[in-house]
Amino acid sequence: MDIEVVEFYPESEKAKHRGYIGSMHVYVCDLDNAVQIDVRGISVFNNKGFWFFKFPARKGIDQDTKKPVNYPIFSFTDREKDKSFRKSVIDLGQEYIKKNFAEVLA
């Protein structure tokens, strides 16, 4: 999927010890002209070279089971498109951060 990393916002040194290095803002480019999407608040973690991207989500209670559930704030209804979006964010996000924010990873 064609996305553009708009910006990465590094976190303070205090939070860095937990592996959290910042949040990212991306723009989805390959949708039709009627739909334009910005996705903000993608948390980025890096611990000893292991990358983890946490997409914006909320917690709630399942009304049937009464158990807590996590659900995404944004997702494509087409599972393949959603999978492609997430993979693109992870791949391009790592590349963008490595290129522009090497000091954050140090």
Side-chain angles (χ1 to χ4, degrees):
M1 174 169 286
D2 186 20
I3 66 154
E4 174 187 334
V5 176
V6 177
E7 190 57 76
F8 173 73
Y9 305 97
E11 186 52 55
S12 68
E13 285 295 319
K14 183 179 177 184
K16 193 174 171 183
H17 76 278
R18 296 187 309 258
Y20 175 67
I21 60 171
S23 67
M24 198 165 50
H25 171 197
V26 301
Y27 179 71
V28 182
C29 302
D30 69 351
L31 300 175
D32 63 34
N33 289 334
V35 178
Q36 298 178 358
I37 299 173
D38 277 312
V39 180
R40 293 175 168 90
I42 301 169
S43 297
V44 182
F45 298 82
N46 183 293
N47 194 351
K48 298 177 184 171
F50 175 76
W51 289 87
F52 179 73
F53 288 72
K54 183 177 181 218
F55 292 83
R58 297 288 297 194
K59 292 181 181 180
I61 302 294
D62 184 292
Q63 294 302 305
D64 296 329
T65 65
K66 306 297 185 214
K67 292 184 178 182
V69 292
N70 289 326
Y71 56 91
I73 291 174
F74 171 84
S75 65
F76 289 98
T77 54
D78 179 328
R79 291 181 66 74
E80 287 303 313
K81 186 175 273 194
D82 196 58
K83 190 176 180 180
S84 175
F85 165 71
R86 291 171 183 272
K87 182 173 180 356
S88 295
V89 168
I90 291 166
D91 293 346
L92 292 175
Q94 284 183 36
E95 181 182 314
Y96 183 86
I97 294 166
K98 287 175 183 175
K99 180 180 177 184
N100 298 296
F101 294 90
E103 72 280 0
V104 172
L105 299 173

